[in-house]
Amino acid sequence: MTRAARIALTLLVLVFVALPTLGPAQPKPRRPWTLILDFVPTGEYVPHYTALEKGWYRDEGLEVKIVRGQGSGDTVKRIAAGQGEVGIADMSALIAARANTDVKVKAIALWYRRPPHGVFVRTDSPIKTPKDLEGKKLAISPGNSHQILWPVFEKLSGLKPGSVTWVTMDAASMPPSLIRGATDAVPFFVVHEARIRKIARQQNVDLRLLSAWADLGLDLSSTSLVAREDTIARDPDGLKAFLRATLKGADHAFRNKHFDEGVGYVLKHHPEVDPDGALGAAQVASRFVYAEEVTAGKVAVGQFEPARLEKTRDVYTQYLELKRKVPLEELYTNDLLPDKK
């Protein structure tokens, strides 16, 4: 065999040996990741399901599982116990947990820039303003933040302090009690307006929003994404990846108003969800995420403003009668966000 032939044969062997490495790159293994909601899945969580179905979490190397919540307080406890990497919880619950039990959980992104609290009445009700609630009966569930913050509502609205009667019941019974006239009003998050009005219309009654507390000036930080302090210290890159994908989902679903598409993703995972209620929740929730200061470019999506958070902490410390005033650095970080002003 000539020298040239030997060289050619050697090159041919090397090519065959190298062929396996010339094939398609093996997909990067994805890390399991759990997001714990603060409530049952509905339209307000459209951004997260959009990021899931669009593959944006997978693009970041995360195999995300979304699980339902049982309220903000429970979500904070579950995150503290290591049952998930990220949770959704109201700042009131986080502040209370840090103040009273010193849970090592911190907010990593602000979701609702203002509280979604509201008060609903029947459309045919003579109650036209918050002051008209004086002497009326309101349905409430145990531990409901509307009742806890009612003194703030009284101050903002001009309603006489202590002038309403609370009728305690489980949360599911609140809209029916108003529909049948057993109570005069119900406090409910405004993101659920479409859902509870649909329930009412099925019984030939309609409801209307008497007052959104944010419109009265309730200017507090609200729902947030939270994580354990040790996760923040140990795995900041994983949290940054999660936030990039989540905020990409928010931009697509909320900022660019792909509400129907996003609701479809929620229904794919939870066919029991009412599509009309989910669509209404998504549309209203988008306004709390993309509030005026965000759309005007003053702050980035998810970014905390220390002054507003300080006010939030002081209000909840007072009205929840918390054990201590938690330092702001124990409550939040903006360092994991993809953008900030």
Side-chain angles (χ1 to χ4, degrees):
M1 181 182 292
T2 65
R3 183 168 180 269
R6 287 198 301 273
I7 292 174
L9 180 61
T10 300
L11 290 173
L12 186 62
V13 170
L14 289 174
V15 167
F16 276 104
V17 170
L19 275 177
T21 65
L22 295 177
Q26 295 298 309
K28 183 180 178 180
R30 300 186 186 100
R31 301 164 50 191
W33 194 274
T34 298
L35 167 64
I36 304 175
L37 305 179
D38 58 340
F39 197 54
V40 296
T42 184
E44 59 195 288
Y45 308 112
V46 153
H48 310 87
Y49 284 94
T50 296
L52 182 68
E53 286 300 309
K54 289 283 191 182
W56 293 331
Y57 287 130
R58 294 189 184 94
D59 291 345
E60 294 285 357
L62 304 176
E63 196 65 49
V64 172
K65 178 183 179 182
I66 302 175
V67 299
R68 69 155 291 173
Q70 302 284 347
S72 292
D74 185 68
T75 295
V76 171
K77 291 178 183 178
R78 291 166 70 182
I79 291 297
Q83 296 178 21
E85 282 70 30
V86 176
I88 299 177
D90 191 78
M91 283 305 300
S92 62
L94 176 61
I95 293 168
R98 291 229 60 150
N100 291 340
T101 59
D102 198 26
V103 298
K104 302 303 182 182
V105 177
K106 184 181 289 190
I108 60 172
L110 179 60
W111 199 240
Y112 285 178
R113 304 203 73 83
R114 288 171 183 80
H117 296 63
V119 179
F120 291 85
V121 297
R122 287 172 51 130
T123 302
D124 59 4
S125 171
I127 300 172
K128 303 300 181 185
T129 72
K131 290 183 180 180
D132 296 333
L133 292 171
E134 182 177 340
K136 301 298 189 292
K137 293 188 295 184
L138 275 68
I140 199 68
S141 56
N144 193 304
S145 61
H146 285 86
Q147 187 175 25
I148 293 169
L149 291 177
W150 195 252
V152 181
F153 175 80
E154 292 171 334
K155 183 178 180 179
L156 292 172
S157 67
L159 175 65
K160 182 180 177 181
S163 62
V164 304
T165 299
W166 296 102
V167 182
T168 304
M169 61 190 69
D170 64 87
S173 299
M174 289 167 61
S177 78
L178 177 60
I179 292 168
R180 67 176 185 269
T183 55
D184 301 298
V186 294
F188 239 81
F189 285 169
V190 296
V191 293
H192 300 301
E193 179 175 1
R195 179 174 65 85
I196 63 174
R197 289 188 67 192
K198 183 174 181 178
I199 294 171
R201 286 194 294 266
Q202 290 171 347
Q203 300 179 48
N204 298 315
V205 176
D206 202 359
L207 308 179
R208 59 180 166 84
L209 175 63
L210 175 68
S211 178
W213 294 21
D215 293 341
L216 295 174
L218 188 63
D219 192 20
L220 306 178
S221 304
S222 187
T223 306
S224 303
L225 297 170
V226 303
R228 291 186 307 282
E229 284 187 345
D230 66 343
T231 305
I232 295 171
R234 175 177 42 83
D235 190 18
D237 289 341
L239 292 170
K240 288 178 181 178
F242 176 82
L243 288 178
R244 279 195 300 269
T246 299
L247 296 182
K248 189 174 181 179
D251 269 350
H252 183 81
F254 278 0
R255 188 194 291 269
N256 297 325
K257 303 184 185 304
H258 292 129
F259 299 121
D260 290 302
E261 176 187 350
V263 168
Y265 296 143
V266 174
L267 292 174
K268 176 181 176 181
H269 290 266
H270 301 281
E272 74 281 3
V273 171
D274 173 61
D276 296 326
L279 178 60
Q283 292 169 334
V284 176
S286 70
R287 299 198 291 270
F288 284 93
V289 176
Y290 289 91
E292 181 182 354
E293 59 268 34
V294 175
T295 57
K298 296 177 182 177
V299 293
V301 181
Q303 181 179 346
F304 280 95
E305 299 166 275
R308 178 177 289 157
L309 184 57
E310 183 177 18
K311 176 183 176 182
T312 303
R313 177 206 57 194
D314 291 347
V315 168
Y316 283 120
T317 300
Q318 176 184 352
Y319 287 103
L320 297 178
E321 299 181 349
L322 303 180
K323 291 181 178 179
R324 68 184 180 108
K325 182 179 287 189
V326 183
L328 293 189
E329 59 268 22
E330 293 183 23
L331 294 174
Y332 86 106
T333 177
N334 281 327
D335 294 343
L336 303 174
L337 295 169
D339 297 299
K340 53 186 177 178
K341 304 293 183 182

